[in-house]
Amino acid sequence: MEPLLIYLGLFGTSFLAATLVPAQSEAVLFALLMTGSCPAWLLLLAPSVGNIMGSCVNWLLGVGFTRFEEQRWFPRPVLGLGVPSPADAIFPLT
């Protein structure tokens, strides 16, 4: 298989695994490491970058959804019987 396609596939799998999509990037990485067809450092670099970029996408989604906080349908966590959350000091629900 073409090495570039291997790295792109591993990057894509790890990117999806780091976002909201359930994917098994570890299984793909393990299988590729066992074949020994590519350098291990490149096989570790591709999913590392994919995971970091997927985490950035999750963060951007979270920041983008904060504009809906004032909407009535937006879910808010309830921690119990009127006990304030530690985040209430930072993000008051007034």
Side-chain angles (χ1 to χ4, degrees):
M1 186 185 274
E2 184 73 30
L4 182 60
L5 291 178
I6 291 173
Y7 302 130
L8 287 176
L10 191 54
F11 169 84
T13 305
S14 63
F15 180 84
L16 289 176
T19 58
L20 301 173
V21 179
Q24 296 296 323
S25 63
E26 293 86 4
V28 175
L29 175 62
F30 180 74
L32 289 171
L33 283 172
M34 289 296 109
T35 62
S37 62
C38 298
W41 71 272
L42 284 175
L43 289 176
L44 293 174
L45 180 67
S48 297
V49 173
N51 278 323
I52 291 168
M53 291 183 73
S55 298
C56 291
V57 167
N58 282 340
W59 181 80
L60 288 171
L61 285 173
V63 168
F65 279 116
T66 58
R67 66 181 173 184
F68 298 116
E69 280 183 327
E70 300 302 320
Q71 300 297 322
R72 198 167 169 216
W73 51 265
F74 192 79
R76 291 192 172 89
V78 177
L79 291 181
L81 302 171
V83 178
S85 153
D88 287 341
I90 302 169
F91 306 107
L93 297 177
T94 60

